[in-house]
Amino acid sequence: VGTAPRVGRTEALSVPAVQRGRNLLCSIATLPLVQLGPDRQPVRNPLFEQIDPDVPNIVTLSQTVEDLVFEGIAWWKVLAFGSDNFPMSAVRLDPGSVSVDPPAGRSPSPLPAGEDPRHGSVWVDGKEVSGRLIRRFDSPNPAVLKVGGRAIKRALLLDQAARMYADDPRALDYFTPNEAADSLEDDEIGEFLGEWKVARKQRSTAYVPAAVEYHTVDSPTPHDLQLVELQKQASLEIANAFGVDPEDLGISTTSRSYQNAVDRRRDRINDVLAP
């Protein structure tokens, strides 16, 4: 069994089920973030009051959760430290810009072993940054873009197929000249096709003149291809990859036992948002 194909984040978010799953998980950023002391009482923390000086906390936290969901890892860079050597402000980094490996062509370590243990570093956009300034967060769950790539790719392909049938449907029938009759002129053909279209809308059948022969095309319809059912299955797999209730993505499930709104909220906290 091969590994699941990886998809880009922008590409994945173009799938409504993925965007809905992302928004559900990132909604935890709307909750207050506080620090508790040894007595379980809130303790003032300047970092949690305003993480990034230029960005609202809800945006920074939701982007951090999104990184954890899609990439399985998130990074912050510390902007300032307090007198207690604890970060006072930080900025979220794009996971794609951070690497723990030095860029190609960098001069080797001055030590014979090829590694310099005196200080840890990471590279942000190819520039070395002290590990002291970097905070790394790891998700307890696999990255959705990796484990859910197959379902997301399938959803994208099904959406393209549905769009093709909606925007440019294949012809279901066509006409050819009857060799035993006089051929129609171009303006007569246009007029005839217009009348045929109107007649087919008004009734299930229409009259075919003797000058042409009618042919049908046996091509699968969206119903024959079961596009709706396949899209539903892809959305169900995406819901499983996110770990959210399929009904939260608009997928009706008939096997659910009785459960009220309070139970559903509790399950979402315990099973979805807690990790």
Side-chain angles (χ1 to χ4, degrees):
V1 180
T3 58
R6 183 180 176 87
V7 297
R9 190 182 305 196
T10 302
E11 184 182 27
L13 285 171
S14 67
V15 178
V18 174
Q19 186 176 116
R20 174 61 175 164
R22 178 265 180 206
N23 292 344
L24 282 173
L25 295 178
C26 291
S27 65
I28 196 173
T30 62
L31 301 178
L33 183 63
V34 298
Q35 177 176 321
L36 301 180
D39 57 353
R40 307 296 296 173
Q41 295 300 314
V43 177
R44 181 178 180 271
N45 187 325
L47 177 66
F48 294 163
E49 293 176 359
Q50 185 65 43
I51 301 171
D52 187 331
D54 302 318
V55 179
N57 275 2
I58 186 174
V59 177
T60 300
L61 293 175
S62 63
Q63 287 185 310
T64 302
V65 174
E66 180 181 323
D67 292 339
L68 293 172
V69 171
F70 285 130
E71 309 289 347
I73 191 171
W75 302 88
W76 285 2
K77 179 182 178 181
V78 178
L79 300 178
F81 290 93
S83 58
D84 56 357
N85 207 32
F86 194 86
M88 293 186 63
S89 61
V91 60
R92 171 252 178 194
L93 299 175
D94 187 333
S97 68
V98 183
S99 174
V100 295
D101 299 319
R106 182 177 181 271
S107 58
S109 169
L111 300 183
E115 297 181 1
D116 192 346
R118 292 171 294 185
H119 64 278
S121 297
V122 297
W123 282 261
V124 180
D125 292 326
K127 298 180 180 180
E128 186 175 6
V129 178
S130 172
R132 179 175 178 269
L133 301 177
I134 300 298
R135 295 297 180 267
R136 167 175 169 164
F137 306 90
D138 289 277
S139 171
N141 298 329
V144 168
L145 292 183
K146 295 180 181 178
V147 299
R150 202 179 306 278
I152 297 173
K153 278 288 189 183
R154 189 180 306 118
L156 288 168
L157 292 174
L158 291 171
D159 180 68
Q160 292 175 4
R163 193 184 311 117
M164 178 192 69
Y165 276 98
D167 295 341
D168 188 20
R170 294 182 58 184
L172 300 180
D173 50 23
Y174 64 96
F175 298 94
T176 58
N178 190 331
E179 296 180 358
D182 296 333
S183 299
L184 298 177
E185 300 295 334
D186 290 345
D187 55 345
E188 294 176 326
I189 294 176
E191 182 180 354
F192 162 68
L193 291 177
E195 293 175 351
W196 170 269
K197 181 178 180 181
V198 172
R200 287 300 302 267
K201 285 186 176 182
Q202 293 177 347
R203 56 185 69 87
S204 60
T205 58
Y207 174 74
V208 180
V212 296
E213 294 182 0
Y214 178 65
H215 304 272
T216 60
V217 178
D218 295 329
S219 60
T221 65
H223 177 74
D224 295 332
L225 294 175
Q226 295 185 320
L227 284 180
V228 175
E229 289 76 9
L230 291 173
Q231 287 177 315
K232 179 179 178 181
Q233 178 62 30
S235 296
L236 178 61
E237 294 177 6
I238 291 173
N240 290 332
F242 276 101
V244 300
D245 191 319
E247 289 195 354
D248 290 334
L249 302 188
I251 306 170
S252 177
T253 55
T254 58
S255 60
R256 177 189 299 279
S257 58
Y258 174 76
Q259 190 180 40
N260 58 34
V262 176
D263 293 332
R264 290 195 62 191
R265 291 193 184 100
R266 184 182 296 113
D267 288 345
R268 181 181 297 176
I269 293 174
N270 294 336
D271 302 333
V272 179
L273 299 180

